Amino acid sequence: MLKKSLGLIIIFILLIVSAFGCSSSKSSTDKGKKELVIVNWKDYGSDDPAVVKEFEKKYNVKITHQYMASEEELLTKLRTGGVGKIDLILPNASILPVAIKENLLEEIDTTKLSNYQYIFDQFKKLPENQKDNKVYAVPWVWGSTGLAYNSNEIKENVDTVNILWDKKYKGKIAFRDDFNDAVMTAALALGQNPNNPSDLNAIKKKLVEQKQLNRTYWKTGDEFSKLFAGKQITVGLMWSGQAAAMKKNGEPINYVIPKEGAIGWVDNWAIVKDSKNYDLAVKFIDYMLSKKFQEDWVKKGGPNPVNIEVTKNLDAEFVKQMGINEETIAKLHFISYHSDAEKKQWNEMWQEVKSQ
Amino acid sequence: MIKKGFGWLYTGIIFIFLYAPIAVLMLMSFNKSQYNSLPFQFSTRWYKDLANDQTLIDASLTSIYIAAVTAIFCVILATMLMLWIVQTKSKWKKWIDSLVILPLTIPWLILGLALLLLLNFLKLDKNYFVLLIGHIIVSLPYTVMVIKARLQSLDLTINEASASLGANEWTTFRKITLPLLFPAMLAGGFLAFVISFDNFILSYFLIPSGHSTLPIEIYSSIKFGFTPVINAVSTIILAGTTIVILFIIMVMKASLKYLFK
Amino acid sequence: MNKKFWLVSPPVLLLIAFCVIPLFIMVYFSFLSDGADPHLTLSNYLDFFQKGFYLKLTWKTISTSLIVTIICILIGYPMAYIMAKVINSGKTIILIAIIIPFWTSQLVRAYSWQNLLRDGGILEMILRKFHLIGSEPLGILFTQTAVIIALVHIFFPYMVITIYMSLEKMDHSIIEASKSLNAGPFTTFWRIILPLSKPGIISGSILVFVPSLGVFVEPRILGGTKGSVIGTVIEDQFFEIYGWNFGAAIAFILLMIVLISIAILSKFAKEEV
């Protein structure tokens, strides 16, 4: 009997020990210091070692990053014991209303943020970031999904999303494989409200029509850039940030926000309910909004800054291409909150289009 | 003779098919263009980038570590199982036989999401423990197949002879069975290592957020785009493996004959 | 011998706890409704069977996997046969060389195929150099063909190894006996060698067919607008919209398909051998 269970126990102990070997052990020599726990995407600005070091030194604090693989995971983290342990998170519109409603977030006193005044007004007005005139999330970076085309191949003036339905470019178009982008883009082309489309059937028809003209659907930004550089495609839906990176690498790519508008997204900082380090968290957000940080990051290829002041120090051509100005931002339809049922419906419609 | 020539010709054609994409990915690791565009321009910049890319190096090391642990556990578990199975007369034998083969009949995608649902059911975070177990489960049947084939071809009466000469079970195992089984264990472990190393789907479902293995690092370059650095890392791994294998072949020429029997 | 149960209990318990039980949990989830207050329901399954396009995708996935399996048999069998019966040196090297491509990630290989197969890509350039094609583009990338090529490339080593193992085990004296009875090489092959290697073909087919049902990366990267398969639908459910219960239902249906086809295959194997 003993022998029987011994083998079992040994195997499992060995397994658990090996599991620990995977996660690189981090020494905790910083005992006694306050600890600011942040949940963010990996390699996404705030976890840059130089950035972390500067803040840690200035406020004598230890910063710990945890990572999320999706917004949904972040929400789950908060619901299952994250409150009280995590200080700062980076939610977007897809989970913010739920998190606010479930009382998982702390109100943010924007008067304590010295850099709040420099944020573009449009971002301050995002409905998902507030409730009952209380601010729960502060915009940090943003981007758009517009049109990118090969300027060597397309000489005409590209200004409409309908180019994706133009038979002239049949077999040279790359649409995005993403139900949200698909529905919103088709809604733009049809003149419907992208965040609240009135006629899903018309959108489906429009997308099926578009499908015939595609070279392919792309899922990852990398696929797009390889196809573009390999001259397999000449026009398609594209992210502002990646288009800029490709241009920097010498690709003949032009990025435009069509006159019908384009899809926009914003990442926001929020403070978790019952955070023990509320003041430090506010200071960190302020630091993240600072001109210096935002400028450094965008120059290293990060997403668009929300801080107006930064644009002054950036290359004017770049600012124009990325549309970092009020006029362009006004044309963006920021992805808003959708219920699970709505997402399911959109996704199912998109699957159906793809299966045809 | 003609038959033989034909055989080699066919082998050659198959190998062209097998190695064409490999050759291309190696070639592209030396191509200057970030987007694999042609014409080809020789450059070692991706190797220099790789040397500075700690994330990618870490992910590769994690992959190697996971694969090694998986291989070791698979060999141990498979040997235990097979020693029992070839000797037993238990009524459970048939059931256990099918149980061991079960993971082969489940697409990895399904096993991955079943394990994810298990974690969700138990209200646990994704963790390396379950990730490792997942890898072991998918690789185990392969190791079992290799070791079983070898054990069946062994003459187990040697064991009985040894026992009748007064050797206890452990001594018999250590002195007789183990050396005879060793090539198969090595081959089985090798197979498990390979299967785990390239396993993307299971890791994709089970890896804790913020961590990554090499295949995940590649797939999740969604946000930042992947560069030929990935090709460079693959090339290095391929070259390294080939050298290790050649070394093994040289050292153990004799026992290798049984490698895949 | 039963007292040696401690030998089997660790692997067996491991498999039950982390393979059998999770599948049952998956089945349980597949009967749950979405929302904050889940209850048992059939709606996930009804959804699947009422929407024609899910069935269409399922059928497409099955047929693609079948084609991949058949191609693997057709090109893998000769390879295994050559290794086992034709050549007598360098077998180990060939076997190892067949496995080495496993060392490169499937994903990287998928991108390599993109490079090779695309219009104006490497394959087109080579074929044109030898005047095997005219000036028209190759047109393979973003078709079902491209997906099948990549899948065969990934799974065909499994087929070669299992068939090789069954051929190698075969007693050479049987073949000699057949020859001495004046059977021609074709008859010997058809009546003796092929039936005896059937278990290898069957298990190889399982090793190829089952994983091809669950792929989603290659169809996505190489299949273009027609790249949807049941695997991509499941992936979307889990990673895009968090419809885990519906995803579990599709996965369960897929699993049933697998089990049924394996049952058919093994019955087939028994009848013939």
Side-chain angles (χ1 to χ4, degrees):
Chain A
M1 189 62 210
L2 182 73
K3 214 174 167 187
K4 188 163 140 187
S5 37
L6 200 66
L8 202 63
I9 293 168
I10 291 175
I11 295 271
F12 276 90
I13 289 178
L14 280 175
L15 254 176
I16 291 169
V17 172
S18 353
F20 278 115
C22 297
S23 34
S24 51
S25 54
K26 279 164 194 144
S27 59
S28 50
T29 46
D30 305 283
K31 273 182 191 147
K33 272 189 198 168
K34 277 191 174 171
E35 190 187 23
L36 193 65
V37 181
I38 299 171
V39 181
N40 189 0
W41 304 97
K42 197 161 196 296
D43 297 322
Y44 202 55
S46 71
D47 58 345
D48 184 317
V51 169
V52 168
K53 211 169 157 193
E54 191 184 317
F55 189 83
E56 281 183 336
K57 216 169 150 191
K58 193 164 170 194
Y59 293 100
N60 189 33
V61 60
K62 160 119 186 69
I63 291 179
T64 305
H65 269 93
Q66 292 178 12
Y67 297 107
M68 56 179 176
S70 67
E71 293 285 331
E72 197 71 17
E73 190 187 329
L74 174 60
L75 190 60
T76 311
K77 260 192 178 139
L78 293 183
R79 281 173 177 162
T80 55
V83 171
K85 285 192 195 131
I86 301 168
D87 298 302
L88 263 175
I89 55 169
L90 193 82
N92 66 22
S94 66
I95 62 164
L96 266 172
V98 183
I100 295 172
K101 202 176 120 210
E102 293 183 11
N103 204 16
L104 299 169
L105 302 180
E106 200 76 62
E107 186 194 347
I108 297 175
D109 184 355
T110 54
T111 57
K112 286 187 183 163
L113 293 169
S114 63
N115 293 310
Y116 193 73
Q117 51 179 313
Y118 302 120
I119 298 178
F120 281 99
D121 267 344
Q122 282 111 329
F123 295 124
K124 290 189 213 161
K125 286 186 222 145
L126 291 170
E128 277 88 0
N129 291 12
Q130 43 216 312
K131 196 188 169 202
D132 307 329
N133 286 326
K134 290 178 186 162
V135 174
Y136 288 92
V138 178
W140 180 41
V141 286
W142 62 282
S144 56
T145 306
L147 295 170
Y149 63 95
N150 189 321
S151 51
N152 290 346
E153 311 253 335
I154 300 182
K155 297 293 180 198
E156 65 172 318
N157 185 26
V158 178
D159 68 340
T160 165
V161 70
N162 281 313
I163 191 168
L164 299 173
W165 278 265
D166 192 335
K167 296 209 168 54
K168 230 183 347 198
Y169 301 112
K170 184 174 180 178
K172 288 284 178 192
I173 301 171
F175 204 74
R176 172 115 204 272
D177 181 6
D178 177 282
F179 71 91
N180 202 56
D181 288 2
V183 170
M184 288 181 78
T185 308
L188 283 170
L190 289 165
Q192 297 187 27
N193 177 358
N195 270 317
N196 194 11
S198 48
D199 186 355
L200 267 186
N201 268 327
I203 287 180
K204 187 165 118 193
K205 255 178 79 188
K206 192 84 177 161
L207 288 171
V208 171
E209 190 190 315
Q210 200 281 327
K211 184 178 174 178
Q212 326 299 330
L213 307 176
N214 270 332
R215 178 82 174 117
T216 183
Y217 292 125
W218 61 273
K219 182 84 181 171
T220 69
D222 185 61
E223 275 177 81
F224 183 94
S225 46
K226 289 213 168 83
L227 292 168
F228 190 93
K231 302 207 169 44
Q232 305 291 298
I233 52 175
T234 51
V235 60
L237 278 181
M238 189 62 229
W239 301 317
S240 51
Q242 174 143 358
M246 287 172 69
K247 198 175 181 94
K248 213 168 156 188
N249 281 321
E251 290 296 322
I253 190 168
N254 266 3
Y255 179 80
V256 284
I257 304 283
K259 61 179 184 222
E260 293 88 352
I263 305 164
W265 55 265
V266 185
D267 280 328
N268 314 278
W269 285 112
I271 300 176
V272 179
K273 193 91 193 160
D274 300 332
S275 160
K276 285 178 289 244
N277 304 305
Y278 181 85
D279 292 326
L280 267 173
V282 171
K283 292 221 168 67
F284 191 79
I285 296 177
D286 207 25
Y287 174 56
M288 288 286 109
L289 293 174
S290 66
K291 193 175 152 193
K292 182 177 179 303
F293 172 83
Q294 296 235 318
E295 187 180 322
D296 285 352
W297 197 22
V298 75
K299 279 185 175 159
K300 271 192 258 170
N304 294 344
V306 292
N307 191 322
I308 301 173
E309 298 286 298
V310 173
T311 52
K312 292 176 189 158
N313 289 357
L314 293 176
D315 173 44
E317 180 59 27
F318 174 82
V319 172
K320 196 175 149 236
Q321 266 259 309
M322 291 296 96
I324 312 179
N325 52 57
E326 294 202 5
E327 188 197 343
T328 313
I329 295 171
K331 280 207 284 185
L332 297 181
H333 299 268
F334 289 99
I335 300 171
S336 65
Y337 169 73
H338 298 286
S339 68
D340 288 346
E342 209 172 353
K343 278 189 226 164
K344 193 176 168 182
Q345 199 189 3
W346 287 19
N347 179 58
E348 200 154 89
M349 189 216 74
W350 180 232
Q351 299 287 1
E352 194 172 349
V353 169
K354 282 197 292 176
S355 75
Q356 284 191 350
Chain B
M1 208 56 227
I2 296 169
K3 210 172 153 193
K4 233 172 228 172
F6 197 74
W8 282 111
L9 181 71
Y10 187 81
T11 311
I13 294 171
I14 289 292
F15 274 80
I16 290 176
F17 166 67
L18 215 48
Y19 279 88
I22 313 277
V24 169
L25 88 87
M26 286 179 148
L27 197 66
M28 287 308 161
S29 77
F30 291 107
N31 188 2
K32 200 171 163 212
S33 157
Q34 178 177 353
Y35 308 115
N36 298 351
S37 21
L38 300 168
F40 182 84
Q41 275 178 293
F42 182 83
S43 150
T44 54
R45 70 183 266 215
W46 304 115
Y47 288 86
K48 283 176 201 141
D49 281 9
L50 173 64
N52 298 322
D53 193 336
Q54 200 54 42
T55 328
L56 203 56
I57 294 172
D58 285 347
S60 310
L61 292 177
T62 311
S63 279
I64 292 173
Y65 180 83
I66 292 175
V69 173
T70 304
I72 291 167
F73 274 97
C74 281
V75 170
I76 297 172
L77 293 172
T79 311
M80 289 166 83
L81 257 173
M82 284 304 116
L83 284 176
W84 184 80
I85 283 204
V86 291
Q87 296 178 33
T88 190
K89 292 177 184 72
S90 164
K91 58 180 180 208
W92 296 103
K93 181 181 162 174
K94 241 177 97 184
W95 285 98
I96 291 177
D97 254 342
S98 338
L99 180 70
V100 175
I101 302 301
L102 180 70
L104 284 184
T105 62
I106 304 170
W108 293 348
L109 174 70
I110 294 183
L111 189 67
L113 69 88
L115 284 170
L116 181 62
L117 288 170
L118 173 78
L119 285 175
N120 194 39
F121 186 73
L122 299 173
K123 305 235 176 306
L124 290 172
D125 267 343
K126 301 178 192 176
N127 58 55
Y128 274 112
F129 179 66
V130 173
L131 179 88
L132 271 177
I133 286 183
H135 276 245
I136 292 171
I137 286 175
V138 296
S139 315
L140 187 61
Y142 295 92
T143 317
V144 164
M145 282 199 308
V146 176
I147 293 182
K148 189 181 188 179
R150 177 76 181 137
L151 259 182
Q152 277 170 344
S153 68
L154 282 182
D155 188 2
L156 286 169
T157 49
I158 302 179
N159 284 5
E160 278 154 35
S162 158
S164 68
L165 290 173
N168 68 21
E169 279 180 50
W170 174 241
T171 317
T172 311
F173 174 74
R174 203 162 43 94
K175 291 260 159 92
I176 297 178
T177 322
L178 191 63
L180 285 171
L181 211 52
F182 190 69
M185 288 165 80
L186 194 75
F190 181 68
L191 215 60
F193 190 103
V194 168
I195 286 164
S196 158
F197 189 76
D198 186 29
N199 192 309
F200 157 69
I201 297 178
L202 269 179
S203 309
Y204 185 46
F205 276 95
L206 300 172
I207 193 98
S209 358
H211 294 256
S212 63
T213 64
L214 188 59
I216 292 186
E217 196 55 41
I218 297 166
Y219 192 67
S220 65
S221 2
I222 293 171
K223 279 212 158 182
F224 311 100
F226 97 31
T227 60
V229 174
I230 303 278
N231 296 33
V233 98
S234 308
T235 306
I236 289 175
I237 289 169
L238 266 180
T241 323
T242 314
I243 290 169
V244 170
I245 292 172
L246 287 178
F247 182 74
I248 295 178
I249 291 177
M250 269 155 56
V251 173
M252 321 184 31
K253 219 163 182 181
S255 46
L256 265 172
K257 245 170 55 190
Y258 303 104
L259 202 60
F260 293 96
K261 281 196 181 172
Chain C
M1 285 298 172
N2 275 355
K3 64 181 175 190
K4 277 204 199 146
F5 227 71
W6 64 270
L7 267 177
V8 270
S9 52
V12 166
L13 284 177
L14 189 82
L15 284 165
I16 292 178
F18 293 100
C19 187
V20 178
I21 292 178
L23 290 176
F24 279 104
I25 290 177
M26 185 182 88
V27 175
Y28 166 71
F29 272 96
S30 75
F31 285 105
L32 282 185
S33 66
D34 290 330
D37 189 22
H39 53 90
L40 290 175
T41 169
L42 273 173
S43 67
N44 294 324
Y45 290 94
L46 291 178
D47 255 14
F48 185 90
F49 288 107
Q50 277 164 1
K51 305 253 164 55
F53 68 92
Y54 285 126
L55 293 175
K56 205 167 130 191
L57 284 179
T58 311
W59 171 241
K60 185 178 156 197
T61 311
I62 295 174
S63 59
T64 308
S65 305
L66 271 178
I67 294 171
V68 169
T69 312
I70 291 167
I71 295 178
C72 281
I73 296 176
L74 291 181
I75 66 172
Y77 198 99
M79 186 70 240
Y81 185 81
I82 287 167
M83 279 160 55
K85 302 286 177 213
V86 177
I87 54 177
N88 30 31
S89 57
K91 286 180 195 179
T92 316
I93 301 283
I94 295 180
L95 260 174
I96 289 172
I98 283 179
I99 298 177
I100 281 181
F102 276 101
W103 285 94
T104 51
S105 161
Q106 279 184 29
L107 302 153
V108 185
R109 277 186 273 164
Y111 279 110
S112 268
W113 280 116
Q114 223 185 44
N115 256 312
L116 262 166
L117 300 177
R118 73 178 185 216
D119 296 349
I122 296 170
L123 184 63
E124 194 181 298
M125 279 155 77
I126 293 171
L127 289 178
R128 191 158 295 143
K129 194 142 207 172
F130 292 101
H131 301 288
L132 289 166
I133 54 165
S135 57
E136 74 277 13
L138 198 56
I140 292 183
L141 186 60
F142 302 131
T143 63
Q144 201 59 13
T145 316
V147 178
I148 290 173
I149 291 176
L151 291 181
V152 167
H153 185 260
I154 288 170
F155 294 122
F156 132 103
Y158 294 101
M159 186 67 85
V160 176
I161 291 169
T162 44
I163 296 180
Y164 171 74
M165 273 164 39
S166 72
L167 285 173
E168 189 74 354
K169 256 192 273 177
M170 208 177 284
D171 196 344
H172 202 70
S173 55
I174 303 176
I175 300 167
E176 291 304 317
S178 164
K179 274 187 190 152
S180 67
L181 290 172
N182 271 337
F186 184 75
T187 321
T188 307
F189 177 76
W190 196 250
R191 303 286 293 271
I192 310 283
I193 301 178
L194 192 62
L196 280 175
S197 56
K198 195 151 270 167
I201 300 177
I202 301 280
S203 44
S205 301
I206 293 174
L207 293 188
V208 173
F209 182 72
V210 171
S212 358
L213 285 174
V215 295
F216 57 88
V217 177
E218 289 76 13
R220 193 153 256 170
I221 295 177
L222 301 166
T225 53
K226 306 228 179 300
S228 271
V229 285
I230 213 72
T232 57
V233 174
I234 296 178
E235 191 212 359
D236 281 347
Q237 291 296 331
F238 272 77
F239 291 95
E240 299 276 334
I241 62 162
Y242 302 91
W244 288 25
N245 303 335
F246 186 56
I250 306 178
F252 183 59
I253 292 167
L254 190 61
L255 188 60
M256 285 297 111
I257 295 169
V258 170
L259 294 181
I260 292 168
S261 30
I262 289 176
I264 295 172
L265 268 177
S266 44
K267 193 155 176 272
F268 183 62
K270 265 187 206 127
E271 271 172 12
E272 296 279 329
V273 177

